[in-house]
């Protein structure tokens, strides 16, 4: 006989179909023209040659601007001053892109600083007394007492007590969270507020090194280092710049040999238009904006390298509990053994779960109360019985009922069930543990019970066996089915990852049958059952030996080795300090499914950089058709056939190309900040779309742009 119950973990109304939190609107991610005005002072400050020297491409433009300025002063003309002005605008606009990106980070840093406040900490002395000290005086290892209404003075782990904490100042999530000593939800962040109860916190971060401090440094750009890909691209851009510089320098002697001396200002304009100024100007802004998008989602990256690695991930390891499933398994059905009534099984299941404080144990008590009218709270007589708490060693919990209180235990509810449990020991727990306990005492197991256990496991549930011993006669009473509900929509998310070429692996401590059922329902590519910390580490190393990049989430100390080994290790903020130190990212919302978003942000960063690099190199083609005929058409009239845009004069052609070169930087700032939209698809599809949109677009756009600018420039006296 089976008693089925439709049950599902309660979900927060703010959760998404994938089980993650609905992020608040990210205003910082939306570009507005007003940001250009706000960022202008910062752009002017960046004209410092020491700052420009970090970017070889823009330093060449800066040097050319200085030279043309000197020449325009020495031999003034409308053309020389116009070219000089637009060269300076090119440098300024490049700084403007970086300044806008940094400005958004500074706005976020300002809001984060509101979280930081001078607090008085109640530190526990060596003698056990309390002393009040400023929060800034705390050192790693200090223990502080925080009670309801007080602000936690620094990052740390709860070592005593349990409390609800308001973390909205950090995460933006208004719902309070529970933090307790032990386990994987012991970490607290400085600046958050305790709402109830009392906890003792051991400080794990020195002043100035908290997560808030590191987050402020990150979003302000102070801690952002160039990533390997960015360094490689800088080297490529610098190499192209040197090549074009040598080519342009060679044009001077070639012109003299051909009998036409070249104007140095025109040669400088040619150089600026030929070198990859567009991507050189936007490269830093793209990197800052990519980090910014991560911060907007409350993920703190320890390095830009981790963000880029997320974009190249090949294998994604995710825990089953809390990531693929809701995490809190619920009692959904009772399967009595032959000859045992459902009511008798429910009574024993309730008694065996009264001392089980796990979510599963509480759900069993709730099921028995809801469907059989059994009191969820123990009676006075039941409290007098000997509770056997659940432990990881025994994997069982239960109750030993003495003869004197047996009837009282069973008659304290709305239903009296007789004295069939008189002097009984009741146990509930993992099937193998309980069955071994029964067999060790001389009992036997009905094949129907074994079949029920296998059936529940194959369906993706967790079977718990209930047994009792009365008068030295062990009896298996039946099986409780626990269901771990897969989050709706998670299969679609994994399908998107598969389209990206990313292999997903589910990690779980469940038995292989349960793991396989959950894996098939969730749609993951592979799974690892009964996983230990050593197994996780070995799997990551095996994947990396094949040249693949691996990402993983974790929150416990046992996850620390794997997080440290993974190319992208996202630790939960609620987790232990060991996990957060081992990972190279920390999710302040502690939402394991956010790893999927991190991968998408990394890919968007790489795609944006690649798209704008393609556009920058492609739009040089139109500049060749604009400037080269203007420089040599007098010597070689045949080159006039290359003037397909029919630009008015050599001067208007050169000036139009210079103006377009500067204006296109401003036009692309919004794209560099928002990022190129990422759609899950294969690498070949992404490359094809990139070449079509930004390659072909980079060729066509300058032809139209330079031609339109020339229509205006030719009206200027002395140029047209």
């Amino acid at each position: 006989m089976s008693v089925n119950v439709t049950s599902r973990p309660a979900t927060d109304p703010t959760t998404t179909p994938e089980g993650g939190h609905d992020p608040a609107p990210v205003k910082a991610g939306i570009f507005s023209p007003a940001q250009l005005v706000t960022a202008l002072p910062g752009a002017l400050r960046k004209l410092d040659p020491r700052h420009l020297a970090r970017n070889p491409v823009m330093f060449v433009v800066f040097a050319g601007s200085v030279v043309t300025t000197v020449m325009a002063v020495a031999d003034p003309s409308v053309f020389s001053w116009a070219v000089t002005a637009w060269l300076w605008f090119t440098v300024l606009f490049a700084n403007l892109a970086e300044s806008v990106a940094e400005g958004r980070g500074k706005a976020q840093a300002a809001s984060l600083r509101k979280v930081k406040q001078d607090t008085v900490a109640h530190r526990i002395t060596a003698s056990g007394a309390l002393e009040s000290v400023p929060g800034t005086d705390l050192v790693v290892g200090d223990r502080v007492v925080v009670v309801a209404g007080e602000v936690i003075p620094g990052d740390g782990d709860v070592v005593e007590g349990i409390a609800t904490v308001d973390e909205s100042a950090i995460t933006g999530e208004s719902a309070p969270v529970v933090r307790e000593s032990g386990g994987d939800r012991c970490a607290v962040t400085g600046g958050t507020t305790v709402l109830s109860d009392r906890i003792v916190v051991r400080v794990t971060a020195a002043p100035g090194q908290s997560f808030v401090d590191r987050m402020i440094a990150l979003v302000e750009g102070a801690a952002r280092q160039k990533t390997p890909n960015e360094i490689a691209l800088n080297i490529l851009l610098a190499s192209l710049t040197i090549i074009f510089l040598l080519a342009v320098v060679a044009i001077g002697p070639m012109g003299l040999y051909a009998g036409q001396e070249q104007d140095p200002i025109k040669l400088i304009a040619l150089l600026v238009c030929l070198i990859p100024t567009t991507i050189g100007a936007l490269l830093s802004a793209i990197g800052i904006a990519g980090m910014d998008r991560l911060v907007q989602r409350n993920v703190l990256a320890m390095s830009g390298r981790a963000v880029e690695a997320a974009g190249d991930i090949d294998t994604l390891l995710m825990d089953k509990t809390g990531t693929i499933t809701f995490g809190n398994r619920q009692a959904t059905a009772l399967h009595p053994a032959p000859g045992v009534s459902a009511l008798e099984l429910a009574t024993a299941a309730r008694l065996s779960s009264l001392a089980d404080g796990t979510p599963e144990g509480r759900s069993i008590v709730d099921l028995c109360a809801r469907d059989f009218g059994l009191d969820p709270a123990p009676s006075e007589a039941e409290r007098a019985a000997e509770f056997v708490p659940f432990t990881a060693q025994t994997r069982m919990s239960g109750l030993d009922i003495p003869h004197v209180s047996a009837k009282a235990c069973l008659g304290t509810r709305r239903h009296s069930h007789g004295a069939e449990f008189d002097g009984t020991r009741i146990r509930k727990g993992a099937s193998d543990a309980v069955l071994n306990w029964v067999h060790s005492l001389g009992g036997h197991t009905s094949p129907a019970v074994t079949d029920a256990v296998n059936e529940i496991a194959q369906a993706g549930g967790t079977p718990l066996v209930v047994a009792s011993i009365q008068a030295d006669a062990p009896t298996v009473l039946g099986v409780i089915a626990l269901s771990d509900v897969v989050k709706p929509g998670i299969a679609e998310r994994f399908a998107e990852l598969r389209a990206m070429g990313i292999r997903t692996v589910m990690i779980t401590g469940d038995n292989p049958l349960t793991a396989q059922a959950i894996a098939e329902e969730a749609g993951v590519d592979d799974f690892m059952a009964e996983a230990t910390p050593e197994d996780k580490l070995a799997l990551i190393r095996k994947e990396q030996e094949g040249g693949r990049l691996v990402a993983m989430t974790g929150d416990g100390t046992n996850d620390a080795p794997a997080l440290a080994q993974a190319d992208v290790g996202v630790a939960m903020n609620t987790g232990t300090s060991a996990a957060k130190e081992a990972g190279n990212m920390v999710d302040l919302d502690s939402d394991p499914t956010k790893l999927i978003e991190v991968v998408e942000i990394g890919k968007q960063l790489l795609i944006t950089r690649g798209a704008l690099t393609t556009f920058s190199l492609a739009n040089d083609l139109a500049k060749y058709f604009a400037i080269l005929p203007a420089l040599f058409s007098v010597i070689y009239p045949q080159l006039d056939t290359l003037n397909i845009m029919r630009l008015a004069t050599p001067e208007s052609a050169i000036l139009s190309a210079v103006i377009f070169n500067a204006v296109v930087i401003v036009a692309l700032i919004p794209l560099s900040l928002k990022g190129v939209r990422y759609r899950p698809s294969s690498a070949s599809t992404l490359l094809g779309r990139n070449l079509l949109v930004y390659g072909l677009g980079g060729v066509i756009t300058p032809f139209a742009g330079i031609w339109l600018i020339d229509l205006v420039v030719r009206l200027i006296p002395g140029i047209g």
Side-chain angles (χ1 to χ4, degrees):
M1 174 181 177
S2 173
V3 181
N4 293 308
V5 180
T6 301
S7 175
R8 172 176 167 163
T11 56
D12 191 306
T14 62
T15 57
T16 66
E18 291 78 29
H21 289 290
D22 235 346
V26 185
K27 295 182 179 179
I30 301 175
F31 175 80
S32 67
Q35 291 177 321
L36 293 176
V37 178
T38 306
L40 188 57
L44 292 172
R45 288 191 294 270
K46 291 179 182 294
L47 291 175
D48 186 340
R50 292 170 297 182
H51 174 80
L52 293 170
R54 303 172 188 171
N55 187 332
V57 177
M58 298 317 301
F59 185 77
V60 169
V61 180
F62 169 75
S65 304
V66 172
V67 173
T68 57
T69 301
V70 173
M71 298 183 68
V73 170
D75 185 14
S77 68
V78 175
F79 174 74
S80 62
W81 278 115
V83 171
T84 298
W86 280 103
L87 289 182
W88 280 113
F89 280 139
T90 303
V91 180
L92 181 64
F93 292 161
N95 292 341
L96 190 64
E98 183 177 356
S99 185
V100 169
E102 290 179 352
R104 299 195 309 170
K106 290 176 181 177
Q108 289 184 328
S111 64
L112 286 170
R113 282 197 174 90
K114 295 178 182 178
V115 175
K116 295 188 62 180
Q117 49 184 299
D118 295 330
T119 58
V120 176
H122 306 298
R123 182 167 59 189
I124 301 176
T125 64
S127 62
L130 291 181
E131 62 175 353
S132 297
V133 298
T136 54
D137 289 351
L138 295 175
V139 298
V140 175
D142 281 347
R143 294 189 304 153
V144 296
V145 176
V146 190
V147 299
E150 294 183 348
V151 175
I152 297 174
D155 293 358
D157 292 333
V158 178
V159 294
E160 180 182 322
I162 181 173
T164 54
V165 179
D166 177 8
E167 295 187 340
S168 58
I170 300 293
T171 66
E173 178 59 57
S174 58
V177 295
V178 176
R179 296 290 176 262
E180 58 185 325
S181 60
D184 297 336
R185 302 188 71 83
C186 62
V188 291
T189 304
T192 57
T193 304
V194 173
L195 298 180
S196 69
D197 303 293
R198 170 188 180 276
I199 54 176
V200 176
V201 177
R202 184 180 65 244
V203 177
T204 58
Q209 298 179 3
S210 68
F211 280 112
V212 174
D213 291 313
R214 292 158 75 179
M215 204 167 180
I216 290 173
L218 173 70
V219 298
E220 286 188 327
R224 196 188 82 86
Q225 302 295 324
K226 289 184 178 180
T227 62
N229 284 345
E230 194 172 348
I231 293 173
L233 185 54
N234 264 315
I235 294 174
L236 172 63
L237 299 181
S239 301
L240 291 175
T241 300
I242 293 173
I243 292 172
F244 283 121
L245 177 61
L246 295 176
V248 171
V249 168
I251 290 177
M254 290 173 59
L256 290 175
Y257 177 79
Q260 181 184 6
E261 184 178 354
Q262 295 294 335
D263 184 352
I265 292 181
K266 292 181 179 179
L267 293 179
I268 292 174
L270 172 64
L271 174 63
V272 170
C273 289
L274 294 185
I275 63 177
T277 51
T278 305
I279 186 59
L282 298 174
L283 186 58
S284 180
I286 293 170
I288 294 173
M291 301 287 284
D292 180 55
R293 282 190 290 275
L294 202 64
V295 172
Q296 291 165 19
R297 288 160 176 80
N298 277 342
V299 177
L300 174 61
M302 306 306 178
S303 69
R305 182 190 299 267
V307 184
E308 281 196 353
D312 284 329
I313 285 301
D314 300 294
T315 304
L316 195 60
L317 306 185
M318 304 187 78
D319 281 334
K320 173 183 74 72
T321 305
T323 304
I324 296 173
T325 65
F326 281 104
N328 292 334
R329 294 174 294 175
Q330 303 290 297
T332 55
L334 299 179
H335 299 265
V340 179
S341 69
L343 188 58
E344 185 180 0
L345 173 59
T347 303
R350 169 187 171 274
L351 289 171
S352 64
S353 301
L354 290 176
D356 186 354
T358 65
E360 294 85 355
R362 291 193 295 269
S363 75
I364 294 171
V365 174
D366 292 340
L367 170 64
C368 296
R370 184 173 60 248
D371 290 357
F372 297 94
L374 303 179
D375 196 337
S379 65
E380 290 296 328
E382 287 168 343
R383 290 191 180 95
E386 182 181 352
F387 287 104
V388 179
F390 177 88
T391 66
Q393 289 74 29
T394 64
R395 295 187 295 156
M396 296 187 297
S397 63
L399 189 71
D400 291 342
I401 306 173
H403 289 274
V404 294
S405 61
K407 290 187 178 181
C409 285
L410 298 168
T412 54
R413 254 320 285 146
R414 288 160 274 180
H415 301 281
S416 178
H417 311 299
E420 60 268 29
F421 288 102
D422 186 11
T424 298
R425 289 185 291 167
I426 304 173
R427 295 292 184 271
K428 175 266 304 174
S431 58
D432 59 336
V434 176
L435 294 179
N436 288 337
W437 179 68
V438 170
H439 294 161
S440 68
L441 297 173
H444 68 278
T445 304
S446 167
V449 172
T450 305
D451 292 342
V453 168
N454 293 334
E455 181 182 346
I456 293 169
Q458 289 173 357
T462 301
L464 297 180
V465 174
V466 181
S468 67
I469 297 180
Q470 185 181 28
D472 297 327
T475 304
V476 177
L477 300 175
V479 186
I480 304 170
L482 301 180
S483 297
D484 203 352
V485 182
V486 173
K487 294 179 179 178
I490 199 72
E492 288 75 12
R493 298 297 298 273
F494 288 143
E496 292 178 2
L497 291 172
R498 196 172 296 109
M500 301 179 198
I502 297 175
R503 175 171 170 265
T504 54
V505 181
M506 182 185 77
I507 307 295
T508 178
D510 285 341
N511 63 72
L513 289 176
T514 300
Q516 182 177 2
I518 295 293
E520 290 175 353
E521 183 179 355
V524 296
D525 298 313
D526 201 356
F527 67 91
M528 173 182 282
E530 299 177 342
T532 65
E534 293 78 12
D535 293 334
K536 297 178 185 178
L537 187 60
L539 176 60
I540 293 175
R541 287 175 174 169
K542 181 180 178 181
E543 292 287 326
Q544 291 173 332
E545 286 173 0
R548 291 178 287 272
L549 298 184
V550 181
M552 177 189 169
T553 60
D555 57 3
T557 301
N558 62 338
D559 292 324
L563 287 171
Q565 181 69 34
D567 300 284
V568 178
V570 182
M572 302 296 102
N573 191 41
T574 56
T576 62
S577 297
K580 291 191 286 186
E581 289 298 325
N584 49 24
M585 291 187 187
V586 176
D587 176 17
L588 298 179
D589 291 333
S590 299
D591 175 11
T593 60
K594 197 180 291 183
L595 180 56
I596 298 175
E597 293 182 44
V598 171
V599 171
E600 291 174 347
I601 290 171
K603 286 189 174 296
Q604 187 182 34
L605 171 63
L606 296 178
I607 290 171
T608 301
R609 186 182 294 158
L612 293 184
T613 300
T614 302
F615 182 88
S616 177
L617 298 178
N619 68 25
D620 285 343
L621 182 62
K623 300 170 191 175
Y624 301 153
F625 284 91
I627 297 182
L628 292 179
L631 287 175
F632 296 103
S633 59
V634 175
I635 306 175
Y636 306 107
Q638 299 88 344
L639 288 177
D640 191 58
T641 58
L642 296 179
N643 185 14
I644 59 178
M645 291 176 280
R646 313 318 300 170
L647 304 179
T649 64
E651 287 75 15
S652 72
I654 293 173
L655 183 57
S656 297
V658 170
I659 294 174
F660 175 84
N661 200 57
V663 171
V664 75
I665 294 173
V666 179
L668 291 176
I669 288 178
L671 183 61
S672 66
L673 298 182
K674 294 180 183 178
V676 175
R677 183 181 177 186
Y678 172 69
R679 300 180 182 88
S681 55
S682 64
S684 58
T685 303
L686 287 174
L687 178 60
R689 185 166 59 241
N690 183 43
L691 293 175
L692 178 64
V693 176
Y694 297 96
L696 185 59
V699 172
I700 296 174
T701 302
F703 278 99
I706 293 174
W707 177 74
L708 290 173
I709 293 172
D710 181 75
L711 295 179
V712 178
V713 168
R714 68 176 63 184
L715 301 177
I716 301 175
I719 294 180

